[in-house]
Amino acid sequence: MHHPIRRIALTPGEPAGIGPDLIAAIAASPSPIERVVIADRDMLCARATALGHDLAPYPFDPTASPRAQAAGEIALDHIASGATVEAGQLDPRNARYVLDTLARAVDGCLDGRFAAMVTAPVHKGVINDAGIPFTGHTEFLGERTGGDPVMMLVAEDLRVALVTTHLPLRAVPDAITRERVERVARTLQRDLRQRFGIERPRIAVLGLNPHAGEGGHLGTEERDVIEPVLAALRAEGIDVAGPLPADTAFTPRALAGTDAVLAMYHDQGLPVLKYAGFGRAVNVTLGLPIARTSVDHGTALELAGTGRAESGSLHAALELAIRLGGQA
């Protein structure tokens, strides 16, 4: 079966971090799709040269047909950085540039220029230091596309989605509402079917409290919020198990026959997933009109420009984006 060559946008994220290193590293391999890197040309080429990668960028032409790429080849959609980039040194003058690269990738996915987008890590702190309110890629993408984003991490067969993402722990219980649990569970079920091609997804839903509230003795969120939602979804034929105690939900026996785990908050589900697959895990944003994947790690400023950054997660993110972009 012949698949048309597709274009996928890559954003290197924080230019002082390891994003440019990772892009240069994965560009060293040939590619069956056209990789379009949205970045400052001088910054990317300087980093590639410093790391000993032969990069052969050519100007991105959206009017040309997408083409496969030889080793080292990338299409470059140039956006000038705000200030000269030094590996490992954050500069708030580059915050706007980082957001401009993201905006261009999103808009290109929305108008069909790109089949998907893959993001290297951004540094939230320096963007906020520049006076631009920013809580993360996921939320930025939701606002720009009008979608309702759900964060899911994938490490081989394990998929963990989150009801709440970047919130202080103190704020989590109030954010776990019937409306939110239902919306996220429905989004997860729909995208597992439509994007991942799983006919009847089986979703394990965690409780919020230890022992999933122990019948109301260790908290009431399960009884009052989560259980009624799951009962309503089951009545529609959606396969949701739970609410389950989080400490036993990730045992191999419990995971057998489960397509995804829905965790209530960030550090309930992600430590397990990152232990299982760090360096190979991929962050996927569900609930958007576009396909977006990302790495499972941060900017690692101390590794930028050293040649010690591992590109496994970005490679996995690109592979998954190629798959998801073909489903869209």
Side-chain angles (χ1 to χ4, degrees):
M1 195 167 127
H2 177 68
H3 288 294
I5 291 173
R6 294 188 294 277
R7 278 196 178 105
I8 288 184
L10 294 118
T11 55
E14 168 51 52
I18 59 171
D21 310 44
L22 303 180
I23 300 269
I26 66 169
S29 305
S31 171
I33 55 114
E34 188 165 36
R35 302 165 293 201
V36 181
V37 180
I38 303 172
D40 181 286
R41 183 183 295 105
D42 294 343
M43 178 277 299
L44 195 66
C45 292
R47 189 74 58 88
T49 301
L51 294 169
H53 292 296
D54 288 330
L55 209 55
Y58 56 88
F60 170 51
D61 179 0
T63 63
S65 293
R67 64 181 182 82
Q69 292 170 326
E73 272 194 319
I74 51 160
L76 193 64
D77 193 359
H78 172 72
I79 296 183
S81 62
T84 304
V85 175
E86 267 190 74
Q89 302 297 313
L90 292 173
D91 190 330
R93 291 175 296 174
N94 284 323
R96 176 54 60 194
Y97 151 78
V98 170
L99 296 183
D100 287 347
T101 64
L102 285 181
R104 190 172 292 183
V106 172
D107 295 350
C109 288
L110 287 171
D111 69 19
R113 260 177 305 165
F114 306 127
M117 62 183 280
V118 180
T119 62
V122 293
H123 193 286
K124 293 171 202 156
V126 78
I127 296 173
N128 284 288
D129 288 346
I132 307 166
F134 181 83
T135 51
H137 272 121
T138 306
E139 296 80 359
F140 177 90
L141 295 167
E143 280 172 37
R144 190 148 189 111
T145 62
D148 226 339
V150 169
M151 188 173 174
M152 181 170 80
L153 267 82
V154 179
E156 279 127 35
D157 294 339
L158 180 59
R159 303 179 187 92
V160 179
L162 303 176
V163 172
T164 63
T165 52
H166 300 121
L167 281 182
L169 194 53
R170 191 179 284 281
V172 167
D174 291 340
I176 308 270
T177 61
R178 288 193 191 188
E179 295 74 25
R180 189 171 198 151
V181 174
E182 181 181 350
R183 173 182 70 74
V184 173
R186 286 187 186 282
T187 300
L188 175 58
Q189 193 259 0
R190 185 185 69 236
D191 277 11
L192 286 173
R193 287 188 62 196
Q194 292 179 359
R195 289 203 183 274
F196 286 81
I198 300 168
E199 184 78 17
R200 185 170 153 74
R202 294 157 299 182
I203 299 168
V205 181
L206 305 184
L208 173 66
N209 297 294
H211 303 172
E214 217 162 78
H217 295 293
L218 269 177
T220 57
E221 285 84 3
E222 290 77 14
R223 187 186 68 200
D224 298 344
V225 178
I226 304 170
E227 282 173 16
V229 171
L230 300 189
L233 293 173
R234 279 186 207 112
E236 290 180 27
I238 295 175
D239 192 345
V240 282
L244 303 168
D247 63 342
T248 52
F250 291 98
T251 60
R253 181 178 292 184
L255 286 173
T258 297
D259 294 303
V261 176
L262 181 55
M264 291 296 129
Y265 58 96
H266 189 280
D267 285 10
Q268 182 184 49
L270 297 194
V272 181
L273 184 127
K274 290 191 179 186
Y275 176 73
F278 194 67
R280 302 185 310 280
V282 179
N283 182 349
V284 186
T285 311
L286 308 178
L288 301 180
I290 66 173
R292 177 258 176 168
T293 66
S294 188
V295 293
D296 68 344
H297 55 71
T299 50
L301 295 165
E302 70 286 356
L303 296 179
T306 66
R308 297 203 314 273
E310 297 278 341
S311 59
S313 182
L314 189 65
H315 185 78
L318 181 57
E319 293 287 307
L320 185 56
I322 292 168
R323 236 176 75 207
L324 298 182
Q327 297 278 346

